[in-house]
Amino acid sequence: MAKLLFVDDEHFILMGMERIFKIMADEMDVVFASSGEEALEAMQEHTFDIIISDMYMNGMTGVELLGNVRKLYPNTIRVILSGYLENSLDNPLQEVAHFVLSKPIKSDIFIETIRTCLVNKEQIIVP
């Protein structure tokens, strides 16, 4: 069974994602974290196939979190999910995230994206 870590510091976003992921309970185990620090603690205890993080959080940002994950857990697919995205060539997301998704996102598109990541993990994670 696949293991996914979802990180956001907004309680209502976590609750919404929990509802979305309930329909995938037979496909994956999902862990929720409300901060970058909490996410890194969870990653010390478990191996995750995918981490999905909000970009702008109090304390550690999503970019900082995924930068740490990139160094410490290079075999984890890294995804940013944010409502505030910048289009620029020097965007740090290009260095730390495999995928960038924009909020709001329809649940069926979100779920299909996660499934696609899992099916294609070997092609996404290049040694």
Side-chain angles (χ1 to χ4, degrees), residues 6-127:
F6 187 87
V7 189
D8 200 304
D9 64 346
E10 292 186 38
H11 178 71
F12 292 111
I13 298 291
L14 290 175
M15 287 175 43
M17 286 298 162
E18 194 169 3
R19 282 192 301 274
I20 289 172
F21 284 115
K22 276 188 181 178
I23 64 171
M24 298 179 72
D26 60 332
E27 296 175 56
M28 72 176 52
D29 181 22
V30 182
V31 173
F32 296 91
S34 59
S35 70
E37 293 83 1
E38 188 178 324
L40 289 175
E41 288 175 18
M43 293 192 82
Q44 289 177 351
E45 297 175 20
H46 306 284
T47 299
F48 291 93
D49 296 291
I50 301 175
I51 181 171
I52 301 170
S53 177
D54 184 32
M55 190 157 124
Y56 297 106
M57 298 183 290
N58 291 321
M60 185 184 303
T61 68
V63 172
E64 293 168 330
L65 171 59
L66 294 189
N68 284 320
V69 172
R70 179 180 177 215
K71 290 175 196 164
L72 300 170
Y73 309 99
N75 293 326
T76 301
I77 297 173
R78 301 173 306 276
V79 180
I80 283 282
L81 178 64
S82 182
Y84 309 100
L85 297 174
E86 301 171 15
N87 279 335
S88 82
L89 295 175
D90 62 342
N91 192 328
L93 293 178
Q94 295 174 349
E95 294 179 21
V96 298
H98 292 105
F99 298 97
V100 178
L101 303 174
S102 182
K103 287 181 192 175
I105 188 169
K106 292 183 179 184
S107 60
D108 57 335
I109 293 171
F110 184 66
I111 289 169
E112 192 56 37
T113 301
I114 300 306
R115 286 180 175 145
T116 301
C117 285
L118 291 169
V119 168
N120 297 304
K121 184 175 181 182
E122 298 305 315
Q123 288 78 36
I124 294 169
I125 304 293
V126 179

